[in-house]
Amino acid sequence: MAKSQERNRQFPSKISTTSFVKLYIMHLLNERPHYGNEIIDEIRVRLNGKWEPSPGMIYPLLREFESEGYISGWWQEPDKRSIRHYKLTPEGYEHYKKIKLLYKSNIEDSLVMLRSIMADIYKEK
């Protein structure tokens, strides 16, 4: 069987969870500065409480973005180092524009698939 004819045994996932969360972090930081727990809360609220990223996902991504120069951070109280706020850098804004465009068709494909499933199985439009 040719590779193009091989069955895909995995349900097609058009965008990984990590990629989705990276995009959402950039989106939120494009709106205004946030700190880590605030990002988690904001995503949960915007997704109507259906899902939220874990701190174990958010904080490594924030450190990764900061080391790549996409965001900059500062401590609210530098001597206590309790809450670190982040904002998008100009390089981060350029990266945000790129991944926003890159993931758009994947998100649209996922929506089409899910709407088709709802219409087919649950007879919803």
Side-chain angles (χ1 to χ4, degrees):
M1 181 180 289
K3 187 168 184 139
S4 63
Q5 296 173 330
E6 290 179 16
R7 275 196 300 177
N8 185 353
R9 297 185 185 275
Q10 297 277 327
F11 188 80
S13 176
K14 292 295 185 180
I15 185 167
S16 74
T17 304
T18 303
S19 297
F20 167 74
V21 172
K22 285 181 172 183
L23 176 62
Y24 228 131
I25 290 171
M26 290 288 195
H27 175 70
L28 293 174
L29 294 179
N30 184 50
E31 291 180 349
R32 66 174 178 84
H34 286 79
Y35 55 89
N37 283 338
E38 195 177 31
I39 290 171
I40 293 169
D41 292 343
E42 196 65 35
I43 292 174
R44 183 185 63 246
V45 167
R46 292 183 187 206
L47 297 181
N48 297 318
K50 301 293 185 189
W51 183 81
E52 69 180 59
S54 69
M57 171 176 264
I58 290 293
Y59 287 102
L61 290 175
L62 288 170
R63 285 191 293 274
E64 177 185 319
F65 283 153
E66 193 169 18
S67 71
E68 293 171 340
Y70 294 146
I71 64 175
S72 61
W74 68 96
W75 294 105
Q76 183 173 314
E77 298 177 70
D79 50 331
K80 291 184 181 176
R81 298 178 61 129
S82 57
I83 298 176
R84 189 163 178 80
H85 294 262
Y86 298 94
K87 69 177 183 180
L88 218 52
T89 64
E91 295 80 15
Y93 179 69
E94 291 303 315
H95 182 68
Y96 168 62
K97 289 191 319 188
K98 285 180 191 170
I99 65 172
K100 182 178 169 183
L101 184 63
L102 180 70
Y103 297 154
K104 185 178 182 194
S105 66
N106 292 344
I107 293 170
E108 288 171 339
D109 288 350
S110 294
L111 281 173
V112 168
M113 278 180 26
L114 293 173
R115 285 188 182 124
S116 297
I117 291 167
M118 293 302 290
D120 189 36
I121 295 174
Y122 300 103
K123 309 300 181 208
E124 294 180 11
K125 292 184 180 185

